[in-house]
Amino acid sequence: MDTEGTYDARGTGAGRVPRPAGPPPAVPPPPAYAPHPRRPPTAETGVEEWLRTPRPAREPGVWRYGHTPRPPEKPEGVSDRSLLVGVLISVLSGLLLWSLWRNGYIPYRLVPLKLFTPGDWWYAGTFGGPRTIQGADALTVYEAVLFGLLVYGCARLGNWSEIFRRHVAGRGQPFLGLATAAGAALAELLVWKDAVPLVRPVLILVASVAGGEIYQSQTVVNVVYTLIAAGVLVPFARLGHWRRLLADRFGKGAAAPTAPAAAPDAPGPEQWPELRAAGRTDAADALTAEVRTGRMNDVDVARLRHAWTVGRGRPERLAALTEAVLRTGGAAALHPSGARDLPHRTARHDLLTGQVRLGSCADDPHNPYARRGSGLALEPALLGTSLLAVGPPGAGKSARMVRPVVESLALQALAGRAAVLAVGGAGGDLGPDDAFDVVVRIGDPASVHDFDLYGGTTDPDEAASVLAEGLVGDVTHLDSRRAATVLAQLVGPYRTVHGHFPGVPALRELLDGDLAAIDALREALAAGGHQAMLRELEARTRQRGGAGDPGPVLADRIALLDRPAFTSFFATGEGARPFSLRSLEHLPLRVRIDLPERAHAEASRLLTRLVLAQFTAIAAARTDRSLFVCLVLDDATNTVTAETVRGVRRLRSVNAGAVLTLRTVDDVPEGLHTALLGAVGCCMAFSGVTTWDGKRFAEVWGKEWVETREVAQHAVFADQPFTRALHGLRKLVTGKAVTRDAVTVRRVERERWSASELAYELPAGHAVLSLTTVEGAHAPPLLVELGG
């Protein structure tokens, strides 16, 4: 396959893709222009619009594609009903007070005015009215001032500003402009009908300042009337933003012809600005044309961007990449399989950020306000800390979490940025066969690939250590280091004689202590002069049958693989066709291992433990860690051991991760509960977990400070007979005693999610997920609606 040197420069050409013995199947070379992609990157937009969509940097787990931050949280205010009642009461109270004032029912109403005006303006006595014209004019101005104060007080008491902000200004233009215009028209009508005392007081004040002769000029009168009308309109114009509204309606068209010519925009992401900045304009033009004509998909874009990033420091690689782009367009630097997309997608993916959307954060008080309603996604930066998901069968672990994650990693493998190993039961829903490069069906005679029990290593001690972890790592009373020593004492001499490690039948014979097999091996070692390995074999012979000898347990466990269904499946030597996990070290492979869980449940768990042990050992020993490698176990029941927990903890520092699913935390030995939950950075609890599992998650997620509000009701005791009578009448009508509320607000430390909430309050199709990135950033446990 033509990779244009993208993978060959790292010593990982297509020839190293694991294949069975014999000639590889014929694969036609990619055409000059590969066929159109199966589907656009999203169902709504094309590749060009997909590239232009913003992806702001947000908190861990936020679906960044087209993310729009939620508006700031509004403080809890008065309800609309209370506001309307307050406005109505304030208006009625103001009308009542003004009516009482005008009709003289308020005593001593003129006393303040008489204190600041000459006494000969008024009749004698407290209730005496104006005697002169000056007194009548002063009373008119006095009433206008009091009317203004009354309106201001009613507006403050009735919270008119909040009504205006919420129901008028909150609707925006043009409703705001129309509403204020209607209010201005009503105000003008009331002013000129003398319902609002404004015109006469203004005329009196102007006459007192400039003299009454000024009104002999009609022009002056018209000017005064115009100023009064304008003064009424100004507050409404400011509230309604009339100037801005008029500018938006009529100003743009007039200003457009005189506006200076805009500077040319910077090249968008669909124009490949990084290639243009490096002087590769011809390649950038070719890729731009591919994007705009729809001949590229999101995988092509991600793959070529990654190839450009990897080869940026090597001119020869960039030259080869540029030549391939000019020759094949978007089909340059193809994945070794030649695939440009998966046959089918079940989730939403964004390959520019490497995210896969699992759902959306529920609008629930447990979630922070800013995260409610936002999409939730996983990416390699989160999977690099490993993820543990716990939930009963049918909760959606496989379909709603494992399948999207495997799909996302497979797409990133096609882009050359990741390698994925998915392990599940035969017939599981991890994806179709043509979505993977290698499919290992253990126990199926039609399987193209076998499985290498020794992980592709040539070191007997390393092979024995990993194999012992898979065979007896779950046996609590047996030290896996002693088991590794026993295996090394047998597989080392065998490999020295035969040039390869023993197959399952031969290893079983050696562990059982078959005299013929051991004598033949001893004679071969003696004949070859391998004294060191002969001493290893003799040591094993002396220790066999002693107290605490792990040999019988190892023999019983390896017998699980020595079944007719596995005949020649774990073969070694000439003619073997094993698949080794070491292929994941450099190649962006998509691998799926199907286990015979129904017919051979114990053997499947043994193999899963072995895969997990091999993966953690191989990932930690990689020298080239530029490729993200992830293991996905669809069911990790009885597969986690103390050594693999330590291996999972090391994955985040070697650009690798693991996704483990359990039906319950009790599927892991009790002594490893704390260690496992502490080793993974992301924890996920599905609906239906038990209170025992919920308690462990509650301990992991800890507590937070919250503000609690406690309301206590106290009975009100009346001392006066009339008050007691009113209280008795109220109790007779309502059936409740008269009480008063005592509110206490405190800050207390409370669990983020309690065990009972996790067990009984999680709706179906939901899960609680906490996230941690490899850099150490955290996201609190979030209630997620899966698939939302």
Side-chain angles (χ1 to χ4, degrees):
M1 300 175 189
D2 187 7
T3 61
E4 286 82 29
T6 304
Y7 306 105
D8 300 343
R10 288 156 54 184
T12 58
R16 289 194 57 193
V17 177
R19 300 192 182 279
V27 178
Y33 281 96
H36 291 285
R38 291 175 178 265
R39 58 188 297 250
T42 62
E44 300 85 4
T45 61
V47 179
E48 185 174 358
E49 186 65 26
W50 173 75
L51 281 169
R52 287 180 172 271
T53 302
R55 296 166 174 83
R58 302 300 299 172
E59 297 83 4
V62 175
W63 174 251
R64 293 168 52 191
Y65 177 78
H67 174 73
T68 302
R70 193 176 187 185
E73 184 176 8
K74 297 180 181 179
E76 294 184 2
V78 183
S79 64
D80 291 344
R81 180 178 178 180
S82 299
L83 283 177
L84 293 176
V85 171
V87 169
L88 180 61
I89 292 176
S90 64
V91 170
L92 294 177
S93 301
L95 291 176
L96 177 62
L97 287 175
W98 184 244
S99 177
L100 294 175
W101 171 272
R102 293 298 298 266
N103 292 294
Y105 289 104
I106 298 180
Y108 310 108
R109 64 190 186 95
L110 298 181
V111 171
L113 180 60
K114 292 181 178 181
L115 292 176
F116 295 96
T117 55
D120 56 356
W121 288 7
W122 312 95
Y123 288 108
T126 305
F127 296 96
R131 174 186 294 178
T132 62
I133 296 177
Q134 292 85 354
D137 291 344
L139 179 58
T140 301
V141 175
Y142 178 58
E143 288 181 344
V145 173
L146 290 180
F147 180 83
L149 294 175
L150 179 62
V151 172
Y152 176 76
C154 291
R156 291 294 301 270
L157 291 176
N159 207 358
W160 295 3
S161 60
E162 179 65 17
I163 281 285
F164 177 82
R165 183 190 62 80
R166 187 179 300 184
H167 296 286
V168 179
R171 292 191 175 186
Q173 299 289 6
F175 181 83
L176 176 60
L178 294 176
T180 52
L186 178 61
E188 292 283 0
L189 178 63
L190 295 176
V191 166
W192 296 109
K193 290 292 184 179
D194 275 340
V196 174
L198 180 62
V199 176
R200 289 185 61 197
V202 170
L203 293 176
I204 292 172
L205 290 175
V206 172
S208 64
V209 174
E213 296 81 4
I214 192 174
Y215 292 123
Q216 295 178 359
S217 172
Q218 185 63 36
T219 303
V220 173
V221 175
N222 293 336
V223 170
V224 173
Y225 285 167
T226 302
L227 292 177
I228 293 174
V232 174
L233 292 177
V234 166
F236 293 93
R238 292 174 63 87
L239 289 175
H241 304 289
W242 291 0
R243 180 182 299 178
R244 186 187 307 171
L245 178 62
L246 294 175
D248 292 340
R249 294 292 180 181
F250 306 105
K252 289 183 178 180
T258 60
D265 295 335
E270 78 283 357
Q271 296 177 336
W272 302 83
E274 62 273 17
L275 270 68
R276 298 182 188 277
R280 309 282 177 171
T281 308
D282 48 354
D285 291 338
L287 293 178
T288 301
E290 290 277 288
V291 169
R292 290 178 174 173
T293 56
R295 301 186 66 87
M296 290 181 66
N297 62 4
D298 54 345
V299 178
D300 297 330
V301 173
R303 185 184 67 251
L304 291 174
R305 283 195 170 191
H306 177 71
W308 168 261
T309 303
V310 171
R312 186 175 296 173
R314 299 184 181 181
E316 68 281 0
R317 180 177 294 182
L318 288 184
L321 179 61
T322 302
E323 180 184 356
V325 168
L326 295 176
R327 185 176 73 255
T328 61
L334 281 179
H335 184 264
S337 65
R340 298 176 63 180
D341 200 353
L342 297 180
H344 179 65
R345 301 189 189 186
T346 60
R348 294 184 62 187
H349 303 272
D350 182 26
L351 289 179
L352 287 189
T353 58
Q355 291 186 316
V356 53
R357 182 180 176 119
L358 296 186
S360 59
C361 296
D363 189 2
D364 186 86
H366 286 93
N367 291 339
Y369 174 82
R371 297 299 296 269
R372 298 174 192 172
S374 64
L376 189 132
L378 295 178
E379 57 184 305
L382 297 171
L383 297 177
T385 62
S386 299
L387 184 149
L388 175 66
V390 178
K397 300 188 300 298
S398 300
R400 299 185 179 184
M401 191 275 291
V402 172
R403 174 69 184 273
V405 168
V406 172
E407 199 172 86
S408 174
L409 294 171
L411 287 171
Q412 294 184 57
L414 293 179
R417 301 188 304 198
V420 57
L421 172 61
V423 181
D429 189 21
L430 296 180
D433 293 351
D434 49 358
F436 296 90
D437 303 311
V438 176
V439 177
V440 182
R441 297 185 179 88
I442 296 180
D444 186 354
S447 177
V448 177
H449 297 275
D450 294 344
F451 182 73
D452 189 354
L453 294 177
Y454 302 97
T457 183
T458 58
D459 184 0
D461 292 326
E462 181 181 353
S465 176
V466 175
L467 184 58
E469 193 65 32
L471 292 176
V472 295
D474 62 327
V475 181
T476 56
H477 65 274
L478 182 61
D479 188 356
S480 60
R481 290 174 295 182
R482 293 192 61 190
T485 301
V486 170
L487 288 173
Q489 292 171 342
L490 296 175
V491 300
Y494 188 95
R495 186 180 190 281
T496 301
V497 173
H498 298 279
H500 57 81
F501 290 117
V504 170
L507 181 59
R508 182 182 181 183
E509 291 179 352
L510 294 175
L511 289 172
D512 282 334
D514 183 86
L515 296 179
I518 292 178
D519 291 342
L521 186 58
R522 182 185 295 111
E523 294 175 0
L525 289 172
H530 305 290
Q531 297 300 321
M533 290 299 173
L534 185 58
R535 286 195 301 271
E536 286 282 288
L537 183 61
E538 294 296 342
R540 172 59 200 148
T541 303
R542 290 192 303 270
Q543 296 170 0
R544 185 170 63 86
D549 179 23
V553 180
L554 289 170
D556 291 340
R557 287 300 178 86
I558 202 68
L560 295 173
L561 303 180
D562 190 18
R563 306 298 302 161
F566 304 137
T567 300
S568 71
F569 200 87
F570 304 106
T572 58
E574 297 295 332
R577 49 180 187 178
F579 167 76
S580 171
L581 298 191
R582 292 194 178 273
S583 302
L584 300 172
E585 287 185 340
H586 306 292
L587 285 173
L589 287 178
R590 303 165 295 164
V591 182
R592 192 188 78 203
I593 298 179
D594 294 342
L595 301 174
E597 290 183 343
R598 296 180 181 177
H600 304 275
E602 191 62 31
S604 298
R605 286 192 284 270
L606 185 153
L607 292 171
T608 306
R609 280 195 304 273
L610 183 58
V611 169
L612 180 58
Q614 288 186 4
F615 178 84
T616 55
I618 292 172
R622 288 189 305 164
T623 56
D624 183 6
R625 298 172 179 174
S626 60
L627 198 68
F628 177 72
V629 182
C630 188
L631 168 67
V632 180
L633 294 182
D634 193 26
D635 185 6
T637 301
N638 295 330
T639 62
V640 178
T641 65
E643 184 60 33
T644 54
V645 168
R646 287 189 287 268
V648 168
R649 187 181 290 113
R650 292 192 297 265
L651 291 179
R652 70 174 63 189
S653 62
V654 295
N655 196 24
V659 177
L660 312 175
T661 67
L662 297 170
R663 294 182 177 90
T664 173
V665 181
D666 289 331
D667 289 338
V668 176
E670 185 176 0
L672 297 177
H673 289 176
T674 302
L676 177 61
L677 291 171
V680 298
C682 304
C683 296
M684 194 170 187
F686 285 78
S687 60
V689 296
T690 63
T691 53
W692 293 272
D693 291 339
K695 180 180 178 181
R696 297 181 180 95
F697 280 107
E699 293 174 351
V700 171
W701 291 330
K703 301 179 179 181
E704 62 178 346
W705 288 99
V706 296
E707 190 176 83
T708 62
R709 186 173 181 267
E710 298 178 357
V711 180
Q713 292 184 338
H714 301 284
V716 178
F717 299 97
D719 297 330
Q720 302 298 325
F722 181 72
T723 307
R724 285 199 299 269
L726 290 178
H727 288 184
L729 178 62
R730 180 177 175 181
K731 183 176 181 180
L732 182 63
V733 172
T734 62
K736 297 180 180 179
V738 180
T739 60
R740 62 184 179 187
D741 295 341
V743 181
T744 304
V745 179
R746 296 185 301 173
R747 284 180 57 84
V748 298
E749 198 175 18
R750 183 172 294 174
E751 291 178 330
R752 299 177 186 271
W753 281 90
S754 68
S756 298
E757 289 174 331
L758 290 173
Y760 300 113
E761 295 186 12
L762 286 189
H766 289 65
V768 179
L769 172 62
S770 64
L771 302 170
T772 305
T773 66
V774 291
E775 291 83 9
H778 294 270
L782 303 169
L783 177 61
V784 182
E785 181 184 358
L786 299 173

